[in-house]
Amino acid sequence: MSVIAEENVRGIGGSVFKEISADNDEDNQPTEIESLCMNCYQNGMTRILLTKIPFFKEVIISSFTCPNCSWSNTEIQSAGRIQDQGIAYTLKVKSKQVDMNREVVKADSATTRIPELDFEIPPYTQKGSLSTIEGLIDRAVAGLEQDQQLRNATAPEVAVKIDEFIDKLKKLKEGVFTLVIDDPSGNSFVENPFAPQKDEALSVSHYKRTPQQDAQLGIKAEDEEEKPSNDIDYMRNEVLTFNTNCPECNAPASTNMKLVQIPHFKEVIIMATNCDDCGHRTNEVKSGGATEELGTKITLHLTDVSDMSRDLLKSETCSILIPELEFELGMAAVGGKFTTLEGLLKDIKDLIVSKNPFTCGDSSTSDRTEKLKLFGEKIDKIMAGEMDVHVVLDDPAGNSYLQNVYAPDPDPEMTTEKYTRTFEQNEDLGLNDMKTEGYQDIRPP
């Protein structure tokens, strides 16, 4: 009902919503409307009453009865607006005489829970109702018993379990339990029989709704949520997907991309591609920022097998050195990766030993194969914590990272060195021919 219409009615005969009264008040009579019965499709009668619940708010109570098939239905709807906050009632039911007779307004959007039985009635599975605590339990029992005859014929084991649960629900009327009614619309209500005094058995809490709850209530669609002020903020909260082709079989595939903030470092872009046709999976990491003014050299002394779980970001411009093995892997050899130190060593082993074309076929020699096999065994020993070595990440672009497990305190086993790039390193990065400051257009007019 619109506000203007409501004000007009109030001006004629007072308030639209009348208090529930035992007196025979002509103004407090329901409105009767002839309507269609959804059971026998003949005409029945719907009675609608606009009323107030004491210490709560206005509601619309409707009741339908069909004189032809005797089918009936009752429903309650909130006559007010959706509240600014959701509401949750927690009631400790102890007294059968007092608590079981408490009036309860349960809106469509409310969730009803009994923690002791791990029982829950999800929202929008029942129409709104004006009942009592005992009535809520009886309604739940009736709902479970509704299809028991069919279950006994098709799934007797399930029917037996439901019968056992129904017995537990019925025993609640004589026992002590907790009832929780959680309604994000804020339009449900549990009576306080001691009002206006405080009810020690009933606790009421208000909370802010989530965007998903707003969408369920129809207040705001999920795709209409406020987006961040710029594209970068929006990308931080989204996984972007774009179509591509599998690098192995060239079949159509999809690549997922996400902007991730690495603690105590910077933002990076993680991309992952999965092919449903051949099962090939690949991932790649690129720096989300600019090239640093100085290069970075990170040296970690491996003293314990727990070092293998350190997070590691290796950019495409980073080279890897293990001085004890006289091993050096140049930049772009294994691409950009965001993994652990153990994952990086496994990739190195696969690249040098398993996927090396010079270890199989006509290109292989027994001497070379034996050396590479020995190198793989040393990598295994490093991952098992059986070798005392140093791992060096040398990135002239300064976009690589190795986790400091002692952060924000210094790591006693790790050193980070900043250095000025050489001319050759700037040439490899394409920085010598790149000028972004003090640039002037020298083309002829």
Side-chain angles (χ1 to χ4, degrees), residues 6 13 23 39-40 49 98 101 105 131 138 165 188 199 257 269 289 317 357 366 380-381 395 438:
E6 183 176 340
D23 299 332
N39 187 47
C40 67
L49 179 64
V98 177
N101 292 325
V105 176
S131 181
D138 289 340
F165 190 80
S188 291
D199 189 344
M257 183 174 71
I269 300 173
T317 58
S366 58
D380 289 335
K381 289 182 179 180
D395 187 0

Side-chain angles (χ1 to χ4, degrees), residues 286-428:
K286 293 185 178 295
S287 172
T291 301
E292 298 292 326
E293 294 184 1
L294 299 175
T296 303
K297 184 177 182 180
I298 304 172
T299 303
L300 174 65
H301 182 204
L302 301 181
T303 58
D304 191 84
V305 69
S306 62
D307 291 328
M308 292 294 108
S309 61
R310 290 178 184 245
D311 290 332
L312 178 145
L313 171 66
K314 177 198 172 300
S315 73
E316 293 180 332
T317 58
C318 178
S319 58
I320 303 169
L321 296 87
I322 304 179
E324 288 79 2
L325 301 185
E326 297 182 353
F327 171 76
E328 180 177 353
L329 186 68
M331 64 175 65
V334 292
K337 286 188 175 296
F338 183 44
T339 179
T340 61
L341 186 56
E342 182 180 12
L344 179 65
L345 292 176
K346 285 183 178 179
D347 290 338
I348 292 175
K349 179 184 175 182
D350 291 341
L351 179 67
I352 301 299
V353 181
S354 303
K355 299 180 181 180
N356 192 336
F358 296 103
T359 60
C360 58
D362 297 337
S363 300
S364 65
T365 62
S366 58
D367 183 52
R368 182 185 294 128
T369 303
E370 186 64 28
K371 288 182 179 179
L372 292 178
K373 181 180 178 181
L374 180 62
F375 176 82
E377 292 175 353
K378 291 181 179 179
I379 294 292
D380 289 335
K381 289 182 179 180
I382 293 175
M383 290 188 291
E386 298 175 0
M387 286 190 66
D388 188 4
V389 298
H390 293 76
V391 175
V392 181
L393 303 179
D394 190 352
D395 187 0
N399 288 327
S400 293
Y401 162 82
L402 184 59
Q403 181 186 12
N404 174 9
V405 295
Y406 298 92
D409 298 325
D411 191 331
E413 304 298 336
M414 186 172 71
T415 59
T416 302
E417 174 188 352
K418 298 288 185 178
Y419 62 88
T420 303
R421 287 185 291 269
T422 63
F423 179 86
E424 290 76 13
Q425 288 174 325
N426 283 330
E427 188 71 19
D428 291 337

Side-chain angles (χ1 to χ4, degrees), residues 53-65:
I53 296 177
F55 306 104
F56 185 48
K57 61 181 65 174
E58 300 86 357
V59 295
I60 301 174
I61 303 175
S62 62
S63 174
F64 174 83
T65 56

Side-chain angles (χ1 to χ4, degrees), residues 91-311:
L91 174 65
K92 295 290 185 180
V93 180
K94 300 178 181 179
S95 172
K96 179 180 178 181
Q97 298 297 327
V98 177
D99 294 330
M100 281 296 175
N101 292 325
R102 288 175 185 254
E103 290 186 351
V104 177
V105 176
K106 178 183 174 298
D108 298 3
S109 56
T111 300
T112 305
R113 291 192 298 269
I114 301 177
E116 287 81 358
L117 298 183
D118 197 19
F119 175 69
E120 177 176 315
I121 303 176
Y124 303 106
T125 57
Q126 292 181 349
K127 291 290 185 180
S129 62
L130 172 60
S131 181
T132 61
I133 302 295
E134 185 176 7
L136 284 181
I137 297 175
D138 289 340
R139 191 177 183 185
V141 170
L144 292 173
E145 290 178 339
Q146 184 175 1
D147 297 325
Q148 276 298 82
Q149 187 175 358
L150 178 61
R151 294 191 191 100
N152 283 321
T154 58
E157 295 181 357
V158 176
V160 170
K161 292 182 179 179
I162 292 179
D163 282 333
E164 293 175 355
F165 190 80
I166 290 174
D167 291 337
K168 293 180 181 179
L169 279 176
K170 291 179 177 179
K171 291 179 181 178
L172 288 178
K173 297 181 183 181
E174 305 295 335
V176 177
F177 64 95
T178 305
L179 178 69
V180 179
I181 296 181
D182 188 343
D183 184 8
S185 73
N187 287 327
S188 291
F189 171 74
V190 177
E191 179 193 8
N192 174 9
F194 309 102
Q197 283 78 30
K198 182 180 178 181
D199 189 344
E200 298 296 337
L202 180 66
S203 63
V204 183
S205 61
H206 298 267
Y207 60 89
K208 184 178 180 181
R209 285 186 294 268
T210 64
Q212 292 77 15
Q213 289 174 327
D214 281 338
Q216 286 181 341
L217 295 172
I219 300 176
K220 183 187 299 183
E222 289 182 301
D223 56 355
E224 293 179 358
E225 294 177 17
E226 295 184 2
K227 293 184 178 180
S229 57
N230 55 65
D231 293 338
I232 295 298
D233 291 338
Y234 178 68
M235 288 179 62
R236 288 191 181 98
N237 301 321
E238 293 292 327
V239 177
L240 305 180
T241 302
F242 54 91
N243 297 326
T244 184
N245 291 89
C246 174
E248 289 291 325
C249 67
N250 204 36
S254 60
T255 297
N256 296 327
M257 183 174 71
K258 181 74 166 67
L259 190 63
V260 178
Q261 175 69 45
I262 298 178
H264 309 290
F265 188 51
K266 61 172 65 175
E267 288 180 328
V268 296
I269 300 173
I270 299 179
M271 294 185 291
T273 303
N274 297 330
C275 179
D276 295 332
D277 287 3
C278 67
H280 178 72
R281 302 175 64 185
T282 180
N283 61 77
E284 186 177 0
V285 175
K286 293 185 178 295
S287 172
T291 301
E292 298 292 326
E293 294 184 1
L294 299 175
T296 303
K297 184 177 182 180
I298 304 172
T299 303
L300 174 65
H301 182 204
L302 301 181
T303 58
D304 191 84
V305 69
S306 62
D307 291 328
M308 292 294 108
S309 61
R310 290 178 184 245
D311 290 332

